[in-house]
DNA sequence: TTGTACGCGTTATCAC
DNA sequence: GTGATAACGCGTACAA
């Protein structure tokens, strides 16, 4: 009765009078097993408080029970929401979450990830944008034999490997809302070049303007890269235009917050003099004054779904609950948008 | 030449003509080793690109090369900064970061953590406030034999197990700044009961007032729990006072943002009618208008130091670079504070 | 349906 | 200093 250390599969086998292998079968609920013995072994397992040793399983199975989160992301809140979603999915399972930031720019990025995956023999990884948009990365996972699910702003992969939001349509609707309110001079602050989300959102903006036959002048589009500072700079340029835009739609909330900052600096009243729209619905969006009208996408749910897809066919029952692959964003109307005064 | 899978310690031993154990000695740089053989083996290791298998090591050593982050934290930004700090510390090491949120309130919390630590056999854990303030948790780590470092707002443990910020002194200085500016009616919005940081900050506030012989009326202290909403509610009560406070010091930035929100809702001009101070220097603090005067604590550095302490005596050299245990916060002066009009 | 023997890749023991 | 040999705890042939 060595109470000091935890019980092993041998203890269970010994007590229940069966072989290791039978216990192993119970653990991995193999179908071919006498129900009597199964129940008996399960009882002993419960009595002894036996839990399989993850290290030993990892060694034998050549596969760790770890879910990796690979990201290279400028947005802290997004990363944390994704972690929350994944953690919800693996709660009460044997899985754990390993966080792995990578450097998207670095030439060694792919090799870094390869080493990480091969060494740790992860069960699977969730890929966050913008690295998730890198097809070579997905291919690498395939080669190594590591499951993966990509998160993104558009469908980049099979349903099995993808969880996407409909950024384009969401921005189209939000822009339509501005148009319905009477805005005609609407400016756009774009996200960084090369980001799929930046492209999708921009396209949605153009969709709405095109449908309303509102021409989009080059001067009404400013470059940004999703940061507060670029939002301020872009807004300063746009607010110098004459006539001034009556609304500015920034491709994310952080830049929209910068627009608000710039507007206040030059004494403009929001939303009377200028309407502002953002995208993300970060916590800050509702905490600033005026609270920001923005687009909310269900990032926690998406991350949870991504993790569930990874775990599909693992759990006890094996109930094939198919997770959705497309998630809809919704417009959150707050006080930063009003009808233009013109 | 089975190039397909990765080389093992056996391959290295075979090629270099020594035994497994000798290779193992090289890997763990045992002191008693002929320098010739060491160099030879190291050469082969490099040639073959051999990297020890973490799963096998974990099994043999009964210890995983994982660093755990145990937290139950309302503040997303803080959690992410801590992750960043830990990741910086373990970059280019064999360690990985595992995230483990816990439910502070739950009666099963200690048992949950125990299971987690015993099962995963973590190398060590970083404990975040407020769970880090739980002495039973630290004791549990000791019992299990899992290294730990606690982060907190005051010294709760030995230097070896602790990384602390000087919240009390930082708030004292910030309050002194308000007093120097001419404020006398200064209100305080406190953090949640039971949080050590809430207590320390409150004490610092009282220290400054006491030294300046400014009496602190009960009505000038409002309860909060570090959330935006409680900041708004507390501010609404404080702003109803007559005479009104000329300054409100909130125990964190999120509540301070709520104060600003409430002030603007009733048409007050900040900082002309009301000065506001916060604590944390979150990204939002600098993005709102007016930008928030606040206290910045070096959370990333603290987390990095915490992880370094965990890893102390592990690395190649074993150079005993002692990490500091106390980190100083600094007042960040922005536009939300001005001299009172009185 | 169940048991035996062995492998997974590494470290620890204890000889030499 | 170095090398057989046995753990570490579990999974998988293959046989029974």
């Amino acid at each position: 009765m060595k109470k000091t250390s935890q019980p092993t599969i041998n203890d269970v086998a010994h007590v229940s009078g069966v072989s290791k292998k039978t216990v192993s079968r119970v653990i991995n609920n193999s179908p071919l097993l006498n129900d009597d013995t199964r129940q008996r072994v399960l009882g002993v397992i419960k009595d002894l408080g036996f839990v399989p040793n993850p290290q030993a399983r990892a060694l034998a199975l050549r596969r760790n029970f770890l879910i990796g989160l690979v990201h290279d992301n400028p947005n802290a809140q997004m990363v944390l929401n994704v972690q929350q979603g994944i953690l919800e999915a693996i709660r009460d399972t044997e899985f754990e979450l390993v966080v792995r930031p990578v450097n998207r720019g670095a030439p060694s990025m792919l090799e870094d990830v390869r080493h990480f995956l091969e060494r740790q023999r992860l069960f699977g990884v969730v890929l966050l944008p913008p690295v998730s948009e890198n097809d070579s990365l997905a291919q690498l996972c395939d080669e190594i034999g590591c499951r993966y699910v990509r998160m993104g702003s558009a469908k980049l992969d099979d349903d099995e490997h993808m969880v996407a939001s409909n950024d384009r349509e969401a921005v189209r609707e939000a822009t339509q809302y501005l148009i319905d309110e009477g805005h005609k001079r609407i400016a756009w602050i774009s996200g960084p070049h090369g980001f799929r989300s930046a492209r999708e959102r921009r396209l949605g903006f153009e969709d709405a303007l095109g449908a309303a036959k509102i021409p989009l002048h080059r001067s009404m589009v400013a470059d940004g890269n999703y940061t507060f500072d670029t939002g301020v700079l872009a807004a300063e340029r746009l607010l110098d235009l004459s006539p001034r835009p009556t609304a500015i739609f920034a491709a994310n909330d952080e830049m929209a917050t910068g627009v608000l900052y710039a507007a206040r600096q030059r004494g403009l009243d929001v939303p009377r003099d200028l309407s502002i729209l953002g995208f993300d619905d970060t916590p800050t969006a509702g905490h600033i004054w005026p609270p920001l009208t923005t687009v909310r996408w269900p990032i926690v749910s998406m991350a949870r779904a991504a993790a569930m897809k990874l775990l599909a066919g693992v759990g006890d029952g094996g109930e094939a609950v198919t997770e959705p692959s497309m998630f809809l964003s919704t417009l959150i109307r707050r006080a930063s948008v009003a009808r233009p005064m013109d």
Side-chain angles (χ1 to χ4, degrees), chain A:
Chain A
M1 298 296 175
K2 40 169 184 170
K3 277 277 186 184
T4 52
S5 85
Q6 300 157 41
T8 77
I9 197 172
N10 280 314
D11 301 330
V12 176
H14 192 253
V15 172
S16 43
V18 298
S19 74
K20 268 168 49 169
K21 179 53 194 170
T22 303
V23 179
S24 175
R25 287 203 179 88
V26 173
I27 295 173
N28 303 295
N29 48 40
S30 147
L32 18 80
L33 248 180
N34 190 326
D35 212 43
D36 274 0
T37 46
R38 159 166 289 141
Q39 292 308 327
R40 185 153 42 90
V41 173
L42 280 175
V44 175
I45 286 180
K46 194 162 197 176
D47 287 350
L48 266 50
F50 165 77
V51 185
N53 177 312
Q55 287 78 43
R57 299 190 77 184
L59 182 56
L61 288 170
R62 287 173 213 74
R63 163 154 293 188
N64 228 321
F65 283 40
L66 299 175
I67 302 293
L69 171 59
V70 173
H71 75 271
D72 171 11
N73 203 284
N75 184 338
Q77 188 63 45
M78 174 174 167
V79 174
L80 215 87
N81 283 340
V82 169
Q83 290 186 11
Q84 184 189 328
I86 297 176
L87 288 163
E88 285 176 9
I90 65 178
R91 171 164 306 178
D92 299 323
T93 72
E94 55 204 331
F95 291 92
E96 299 291 340
L97 171 61
V98 177
V99 182
R100 183 69 180 199
V102 299
N103 189 346
R104 183 178 61 260
S108 64
M109 190 272 282
L110 277 180
E111 278 311 300
D112 290 347
V113 175
R114 174 193 290 276
H115 283 356
F116 171 57
L117 297 183
E118 285 187 340
R119 276 296 112 206
Q120 299 300 327
R121 298 186 188 268
L122 294 194
F123 182 87
V125 286
V126 174
L127 272 26
L128 243 61
V131 274
S132 65
E133 294 161 9
N134 187 330
D135 288 326
S136 312
L137 223 182
Q139 197 183 336
L140 172 66
C141 293
D142 248 350
E143 284 174 26
I144 295 182
C146 177
R147 310 187 188 198
Y148 70 90
V149 174
R150 302 159 79 174
M151 294 183 65
S153 328
K155 190 171 177 338
L156 307 165
D157 211 320
D158 312 330
D159 276 3
E160 181 191 0
H161 296 293
M162 188 76 217
V163 173
S165 56
N166 62 337
D167 287 25
R168 182 171 182 169
E169 174 60 13
V171 170
R172 195 198 61 70
E173 283 176 18
T175 308
Q176 184 61 48
Y177 164 62
L178 279 177
I179 295 170
D180 290 345
E181 289 290 293
H183 289 275
K184 289 195 173 60
R185 294 198 305 282
I186 310 176
W188 176 258
I189 302 179
S190 61
H193 295 295
F195 278 43
R196 184 61 182 263
S197 62
R199 183 180 142 204
E200 294 293 321
R201 294 173 193 180
R202 166 75 172 271
L203 288 174
F205 182 69
E206 292 174 356
D207 288 346
L209 260 52
K213 307 231 185 295
I214 298 178
L216 176 59
H217 293 292
R218 289 181 55 90
S219 63
M220 293 293 269
V221 175
D223 284 341
N225 69 3
Y226 282 163
T227 64
F228 175 82
D229 289 339
T230 59
V232 173
L233 288 174
E236 281 170 352
R237 184 175 84 57
L238 293 171
L239 294 176
D240 277 341
L241 292 176
S242 175
R244 224 171 38 206
T246 60
I248 296 182
F249 197 149
N252 79 346
D253 281 354
E254 193 166 331
M255 293 195 296
T257 306
V259 175
L260 182 58
Y261 189 95
R264 292 199 50 89
Q265 264 189 323
R266 51 177 75 190
L268 295 180
D269 183 280
V270 175
R272 202 195 53 188
D273 303 326
L274 178 73
S275 288
I276 301 179
L277 246 90
F279 195 108
D280 279 345
D281 193 28
T282 61
T284 300
H287 294 173
I288 56 182
W289 187 273
L292 197 62
T293 293
T294 185
V295 176
R296 174 188 298 164
W297 50 301
I299 182 164
V300 175
S301 304
M302 286 175 65
R304 194 189 314 117
M308 301 279 256
K309 280 178 190 247
L310 239 33
L311 269 50
V314 178
D316 356 57
E319 331 289 341
V321 185
T322 314
E323 294 296 320
S325 295
M326 179 58 78
F327 287 76
L328 305 184
S329 305
T330 52
L331 180 66
I332 306 293
R333 302 189 190 187
R334 297 207 185 92
S336 69
V337 171
R339 302 187 71 83
M341 287 200 304
D342 296 5

